Amino acid sequence: MELWIPITIFAAFCQNARSALQKHLKGRLGTTGATFVRFGYGFPFALAYLGLLVYGLGYALPSPGGDFWAIGAAGGLAQIAATFLLVHLFSYRNFVVGTAYSKTEPVQAAVFGLVFLGETVTAMAAFAIAIGVAGVVMISLAGQRVGLKSVIAALTGRPALIGLASAALFGVSAVCVRGASLSLGGPNFLMQAGFTLAYVTVFQTLAMAIWMIWREPDQLAASLASWRTAIWVGLSGVAGSAGWFTAMTLQQVAYVRALAQIELVFTFLVSWLVFHERMRTSEAAGALLIVAGIVVLLLGV
């Protein structure tokens, strides 16, 4: 098994845990505060991970150029906006469907990867991505009469547009992260990913803190007051990001994000066990399609 596969599955699990905690916090903090805790409570863990690589494993720090700082910052800002929209999306429908809209990211990531990095995918990988997206659409249509009008409504309604925008921004962020990490050129994939993670997370924390001090100081205060839960958002968020950054240093973004759709399997479990939300037959069928798409993807890699 290629190393990026278990790393991606680990990252998807951590991301699901982080999203569940953020949904819980949104009721107390609001969208901005729930978005901030991912980065504000995550950067100490990111720096600790970088310290482990340097002082624990003895890896040398890379020598980044100007393109690294610019591309990393662009990816960080895109991820902030994507996370904000995803957290806001939880207000519209349940946890499963809210996450499902953002899972159109593999298609958009494949396009961005082609445009910005010149990366292409195989025909089988494209087919696998299509199967997974079909599963996402089926989940988004759960509980509705399936027809042309319902499909159009599901894909053009306000929640869908927010979800699609979130997915697009996540795709841009992923491509920027891969580009920034690869621009370091060494000393190895762990240090490239770890250094990129530390920089991006610190940048995101500073950017959001400045914005909140200026525009929403009450949200910053509330975020600090909710540290008991928020610290776990930060830990799970950085653990997931470390996985994403490492996997995307090793493999094309489109492949990593396609496999990342396995998060919806974890999402179903959280939705059922934690939030006690009802699981429809069509949602389960959509999840099976996503799993089928992942199997096809792994067979074609």
Side-chain angles (χ1 to χ4, degrees):
M1 178 184 294
E2 296 186 50
L3 186 58
W4 70 273
I5 295 174
I7 291 175
T8 298
I9 294 173
F10 167 78
F13 177 82
C14 292
Q15 179 167 298
N16 182 253
R18 187 214 72 219
S19 294
L21 289 167
Q22 282 180 300
K23 179 181 180 181
H24 176 70
L25 279 174
K26 186 181 182 303
R28 289 183 286 166
L29 297 182
T31 301
T32 304
T35 301
F36 171 75
V37 296
R38 171 181 181 177
F39 313 113
Y41 286 88
F43 83 87
F45 295 110
L47 292 176
Y49 177 59
L50 181 61
L52 174 64
L53 294 177
V54 174
Y55 299 106
L57 300 180
Y59 295 150
L61 287 170
S63 300
D67 54 344
F68 170 83
W69 305 114
I71 297 171
L77 291 174
Q79 190 178 45
I80 288 174
T83 303
F84 181 91
L85 290 175
L86 180 61
V87 173
H88 179 60
L89 189 61
F90 292 148
S91 302
Y92 287 88
R93 294 187 66 182
N94 70 26
F95 185 58
V96 170
V97 178
T99 304
Y101 281 118
S102 71
K103 296 299 106 180
T104 59
E105 181 191 346
V107 175
Q108 302 189 57
V111 174
F112 295 137
L114 173 63
V115 172
F116 295 110
L117 299 177
E119 298 177 341
T120 59
V121 299
T122 65
M124 182 172 287
F127 178 59
I129 291 172
I131 294 175
V133 172
V136 170
V137 172
M138 182 172 289
I139 291 172
S140 71
L141 292 172
Q144 303 179 41
R145 294 185 61 183
V146 179
L148 181 59
K149 289 185 178 179
S150 61
V151 171
I152 293 174
L155 294 178
T156 60
R158 185 177 178 84
L161 294 177
I162 293 173
L164 291 172
S166 174
L169 287 166
F170 273 126
V172 169
S173 175
V175 170
C176 287
V177 164
R178 176 168 167 80
S181 183
L182 292 178
S183 75
L184 294 174
N188 56 60
F189 71 91
L190 285 176
M191 176 52 76
Q192 288 172 251
F195 188 83
T196 305
L197 171 65
Y199 164 61
V200 171
T201 307
V202 170
F203 172 82
Q204 290 169 322
T205 300
L206 291 174
M208 282 212 72
I210 291 170
W211 169 265
M212 293 171 74
I213 290 172
W214 178 41
R215 302 290 295 183
E216 299 184 69
D218 57 323
Q219 284 288 294
L220 182 59
S223 300
L224 296 176
S226 301
W227 66 269
R228 288 180 178 82
T229 302
I231 196 171
W232 296 108
V233 175
L235 177 58
S236 58
V238 163
S241 293
W244 296 134
F245 284 34
T246 304
M248 288 186 291
T249 301
L250 292 169
Q251 181 58 270
Q252 293 183 32
V253 171
Y255 291 99
V256 173
R257 302 312 292 174
L259 177 56
Q261 289 179 320
I262 197 172
E263 181 193 350
L264 276 178
V265 177
F266 302 138
T267 301
F268 271 116
L269 294 176
V270 172
S271 176
W272 178 41
L273 297 175
V274 177
F275 297 117
H276 307 292
E277 293 174 341
R278 180 183 176 185
M279 185 186 303
R280 297 184 176 92
T281 302
S282 56
E283 290 175 334
L288 289 176
L289 272 178
I290 290 171
V291 172
I294 289 172
V295 171
V296 173
L297 174 72
L298 296 181
L299 290 175
V301 173

